[in-house]
Amino acid sequence: MRSLFMFLILAVCWLPAGCSTQPHYQHNYSPTTDFSRFKTWMWDDGHPMLVDRLVGEDPVERLVRRTVAAELEARGLKLVQNNPDLLVHYRGNIFRRVADTPGATGYSSQIAWEKNDAGSWLRRSSRVAVLSLFMLDGRTRKTVWTATGREPVEDRRDAMRKLTGVIRTLLGAFPPGR
């Protein structure tokens, strides 16, 4: 729990830096964890893969779950329904919500306000897709590995096009030392 708390603090501190238009990826892991002992995994929400195929989930969620499952399988991890070594969780957001006008309390998913050196307010696009993956030890439920990717996107369709590459890039660092 403490490591998850520390990660959340770091993530909140990192959010302001994420306004740039360049892709940004980062990962973190527990250096004391023996990742070679992880052979099986399951979604932290407990839904089996069959549910992903049958239920009309959001297309973005369905793509995330299918791609993560394929990438973990390619790394030799087997999806199981009981007593997994790893629990996998993810969070994502396609647009960063920002104030609609300077000082306003309303929100827009496409406009950010920024003060320039002269003190004037400038509007700029803030379309950014963010995806975070979390791996938890199945026995202790402690976070052992995390990764976050941030990519500029034009719209939801562009985010869908980039999603598989983002997931592969994030999981390219899993397991550590591979």
Side-chain angles (χ1 to χ4, degrees):
M1 185 65 157
R2 184 181 176 106
S3 60
L4 180 59
F5 178 71
M6 290 303 293
F7 173 77
L8 291 175
I9 288 174
L10 289 172
V12 168
C13 293
W14 179 58
L15 281 176
C19 296
S20 75
T21 58
Q22 296 298 314
H24 183 78
Y25 293 88
Q26 75 174 32
H27 70 278
N28 196 358
Y29 64 93
S30 168
T32 59
T33 300
D34 175 12
F35 285 87
S36 66
R37 70 181 174 86
F38 297 126
K39 306 290 183 206
T40 61
W41 72 281
M42 181 172 90
W43 292 109
D44 190 31
D45 62 14
H47 292 148
M49 198 67 170
L50 183 61
V51 170
D52 294 338
R53 292 188 184 126
L54 298 178
V55 177
E57 293 285 331
D58 177 72
V60 174
E61 271 194 66
R62 200 167 43 242
L63 182 58
V64 168
R65 291 174 73 99
R66 271 191 276 160
T67 306
V68 167
E71 289 296 311
L72 291 178
E73 182 180 312
R75 285 163 177 71
L77 292 163
K78 182 180 178 191
L79 177 63
V80 297
Q81 289 304 303
N82 297 309
N83 303 316
D85 300 326
L86 275 176
L87 293 169
V88 179
H89 180 77
Y90 63 92
R91 289 190 192 128
N93 190 357
I94 291 182
F95 293 114
R96 180 174 174 269
R97 292 175 125 4
V98 295
D100 193 29
T101 57
T105 57
Y107 288 93
S108 165
S109 61
Q110 298 182 19
I111 304 296
W113 290 93
E114 188 176 274
K115 214 171 205 177
N116 66 14
D117 293 337
S120 320
W121 288 97
L122 304 171
R123 285 175 55 161
R124 65 175 178 79
S125 173
S126 65
R127 296 180 203 152
V128 178
V130 179
L131 179 67
S132 296
L133 298 175
F134 306 87
M135 306 281 186
L136 292 75
D137 185 303
R139 283 184 285 135
T140 64
R141 295 196 55 84
K142 289 186 178 180
T143 304
V144 295
W145 184 90
T146 62
T148 299
R150 184 177 307 272
E151 286 268 352
V153 295
E154 292 300 316
D155 53 24
R156 186 177 175 92
R157 183 178 295 144
D158 187 35
M160 288 285 289
R161 277 193 301 269
K162 292 180 178 180
L163 193 52
T164 300
V166 168
I167 293 168
R168 286 185 178 142
T169 299
L170 292 176
L171 288 174
F174 184 82
R178 185 179 96 128

